[in-house]
Amino acid sequence: MASRKYFGTDGIRGVANVEPMTSETVTRLGMAVAARLRQSLGRPPRIVIGKDTRLSGYMFETAMATGIVAMGADVWVTGPLPTPGIAFITASMRGDAGVVISASHNPYQDNGIKLFSRAGFKLDDKVEAEIEALMDAPGLHDLRAKPEEIGYTTRIEDARGRYIVHCKSTFPDDLTLDGVRIVVDGAHGAAYRVAPSVFEELGADVIEVNTHPNGRNINEGAGALHPKGMCAQVLTHDAHLGVALDGDADRVVMCDGNGQIIDGDAIMALCATRMLSAGTLAKNTVVATVMSNLGLERAVKAAGGQVVRTQVGDRYVVEAMRKEGYNFGGEQSGHLVFLDHTTTGDGLIAALRVLSIMAREGRPLSELAQVMTRTPQVLVNVKVAKKVPLDKLPAVKKLIGSVEKELGEAGRVLVRYSGTEAKARVMIEGPDEVAIRARAEQIAAELAEQCKSA
């Protein structure tokens, strides 16, 4: 991944109107995607384009469509729709590829492009590398369609309704949300209309917050990135729980009726233990990333299952699930993938699974969440001037080794660079939160200094 020019761990991402997120580059990306598909299919491809609510989304939607139709492919536009909704539309309407224009949880000044296959899965690294090479190939423009073969763009008018029906179909037919009061925080993002509708149509009393996007307020003090606002609203309205989505609604953070946050690990523990009991967890295994809390492993193991870990990124969770035949996995951040129902992280479907457990068992989320006891964990993010490989930073490696020896089997240390930002992340788990925080900050400071001088 380090040698990539455009693609990172989750597509292409950057500041809007600054390379690589310029309309010119996105047009070339559209051309490369369409040209590759047309060559492999032997016919004009059909490509779905959706977006979140950022101001720059309109510019990139037009640029992407321009590149695609120039190569003789057709474009189906959904408008603002969650990332999992675009993946669903791509697969269900037999599109040949899906394009999501979103920078997920980043501020509105950023934007990005994520690509999905015709089956609704994110493209693997190999395919992205091929597309990237074609973007800069001298002969790309020679592949443009003849005047009579230029593609067209059309809008899928009922895309939102189709996705709402899909989400509702994952909720058990014999259950209802009648009498359940839910605070839904849409983060002024892609789910600002679909999220309230899904819960309301299942019978819930919904209190909407942060569902009025203006192009500039996506994720701003709202949603899964800032769940305290949701928690406060739950207490204010005496709600049973809260659901906070991020900008493109592929992840969720919840809170119980007491305003206590329930993150992705806790949701995985709750859902996995119930799936184990019902015999529906494939190979009795949950797929998590290296960031997930040790408490998740212990909860799943106590219920008779196991946790396998991947590198950070829901795409890698899904790749492991598909390769090994697992059907449930996710990330601490709230990317949760129920492969029996969706092909990527889906905040709405994850929330519905939790709600179905509450309805089935007649127990509050505060009680259900006790299935997992969290090991103290701290995460320190530090800006770095350069992402120097850790094996070239002996002082940092020595410090990490010292902390690992100190913790023994009672904890662990994880240091990695962000795939989407100029940051390093230092995560430590251990029995004493004060002590591990001090150690994490010590490693972060050394890392910042070494990267600065490298």
Side-chain angles (χ1 to χ4, degrees):
M1 297 297 292
S3 62
R4 296 288 191 88
K5 179 178 179 181
Y6 301 114
F7 286 91
T9 56
D10 197 17
I12 300 174
R13 192 175 298 185
V15 179
N17 238 17
V18 177
E19 288 293 351
M21 285 307 301
T22 64
S23 55
E24 294 84 359
T25 297
V26 171
T27 297
R28 290 206 323 276
L29 174 62
M31 294 174 70
V33 170
R36 186 184 184 280
L37 279 172
R38 188 165 189 173
Q39 289 173 337
S40 62
L41 296 172
R43 61 167 173 79
R46 300 180 296 270
I47 301 175
V48 177
I49 299 179
K51 62 184 179 182
D52 63 22
T53 56
R54 294 159 208 273
L55 183 66
S56 60
Y58 297 92
M59 175 175 71
F60 292 128
E61 179 183 69
T62 299
M64 192 78 190
T66 297
I68 291 170
V69 299
M71 308 308 273
D74 298 329
V75 171
W76 294 343
V77 177
T78 70
L81 196 68
T83 286
I86 298 161
F88 165 73
I89 291 293
T90 300
S92 66
M93 292 190 66
R94 306 301 190 269
D96 296 304
V99 177
V100 178
I101 301 171
S102 172
S104 188
H105 57 278
N106 286 26
Y108 88 90
Q109 294 93 338
D110 293 348
N111 216 327
I113 305 286
K114 291 183 276 194
L115 303 177
F116 287 84
S117 71
R118 63 189 307 169
F121 292 101
K122 291 181 180 178
L123 299 186
D124 61 34
D125 292 343
K126 179 176 180 294
V127 175
E128 286 184 347
E130 293 172 358
I131 291 171
E132 184 169 296
L134 190 54
M135 286 174 66
D136 290 337
L140 177 62
H141 289 277
D142 296 334
L143 300 176
R144 285 180 293 190
K146 298 176 182 178
E148 65 273 17
E149 296 176 348
I150 292 172
Y152 68 89
T153 299
T154 188
R155 179 170 292 274
I156 305 175
E157 299 293 347
D158 60 346
R160 187 169 64 250
R162 285 173 181 258
Y163 177 58
I164 289 172
V165 170
H166 169 62
C167 289
K168 289 165 53 184
S169 74
T170 68
F171 194 79
D173 291 338
D174 62 324
L175 299 178
T176 177
L177 295 181
D178 290 350
V180 179
R181 190 160 48 256
I182 306 173
V183 170
V184 177
D185 186 339
H188 299 303
Y192 77 101
R193 296 182 72 177
V194 300
S197 296
V198 166
F199 299 117
E200 286 174 348
E201 291 182 21
L202 288 170
D205 176 14
V206 173
I207 297 99
E208 295 184 31
V209 296
N210 300 319
T211 55
H212 296 89
N214 61 18
R216 294 180 171 86
N217 59 0
I218 187 170
N219 298 314
E220 185 179 3
L225 219 62
H226 305 280
K228 289 185 178 179
M230 166 192 65
C231 297
Q233 290 293 325
V234 165
L235 296 175
T236 297
H237 294 279
D238 193 25
H240 294 94
L241 74 156
V243 175
L245 305 163
D246 69 335
D248 67 334
D250 65 350
R251 70 183 192 179
V252 65
V253 171
M254 303 178 72
C255 76
D256 63 24
N258 300 319
Q260 296 299 306
I261 292 174
I262 313 295
D263 69 4
D265 283 345
I267 295 173
M268 280 193 283
L270 174 58
C271 292
T273 53
R274 271 50 183 186
M275 293 172 74
L276 281 164
S277 178
T280 58
L281 184 65
K283 299 185 178 181
N284 296 332
T285 299
V286 178
V287 182
T289 76
V290 291
M291 293 297 292
S292 280
N293 193 275
L294 283 170
L296 171 63
E297 286 190 12
R298 292 166 179 160
V300 173
K301 183 178 180 180
Q306 68 169 346
V307 172
V308 299
R309 294 180 184 263
T310 72
Q311 63 179 297
V312 173
D314 64 312
R315 64 182 295 174
Y316 301 113
V317 170
V318 174
E319 284 178 7
M321 292 168 69
R322 297 179 70 193
K323 180 180 179 181
E324 302 297 337
Y326 306 132
N327 66 343
F328 178 47
E331 296 189 278
Q332 183 184 73
S333 61
H335 287 115
L336 301 167
V337 185
F338 294 86
L339 209 52
D340 295 334
H341 301 292
T342 184
T343 57
T344 188
D346 193 315
L348 282 172
I349 288 178
L352 288 174
R353 292 302 293 265
V354 172
L355 283 159
S356 71
I357 294 171
M358 292 175 62
R360 181 77 69 196
E361 300 185 16
R363 300 164 64 192
L365 185 54
S366 57
E367 184 179 327
L368 293 170
Q370 293 176 18
V371 67
M372 172 182 156
T373 301
R374 186 176 304 279
T375 298
Q377 182 187 80
V378 298
L379 175 65
V380 176
N381 295 315
V382 56
K383 291 184 178 181
V384 293
K386 295 178 66 177
K387 296 181 181 180
V388 183
L390 294 178
D391 58 6
K392 294 184 178 180
L393 300 174
V396 174
K397 286 186 64 179
K398 182 179 180 180
L399 187 53
I400 292 172
S402 174
V403 177
E404 287 177 333
K405 184 177 180 180
E406 181 182 318
L407 289 170
E409 295 184 359
R412 63 194 183 102
V413 181
L414 175 68
V415 180
R416 69 180 186 89
Y417 291 110
S418 168
T420 58
E421 300 175 271
K423 291 181 179 180
R425 310 197 193 282
V426 180
M427 189 277 289
I428 303 182
E429 289 178 338
D432 185 334
E433 184 170 349
V434 174
I436 61 175
R437 181 170 297 280
R439 293 303 192 193
E441 290 175 349
Q442 184 181 7
I443 293 173
E446 182 66 30
L447 185 58
E449 181 62 29
Q450 294 295 318
C451 288
K452 179 181 179 181
S453 61

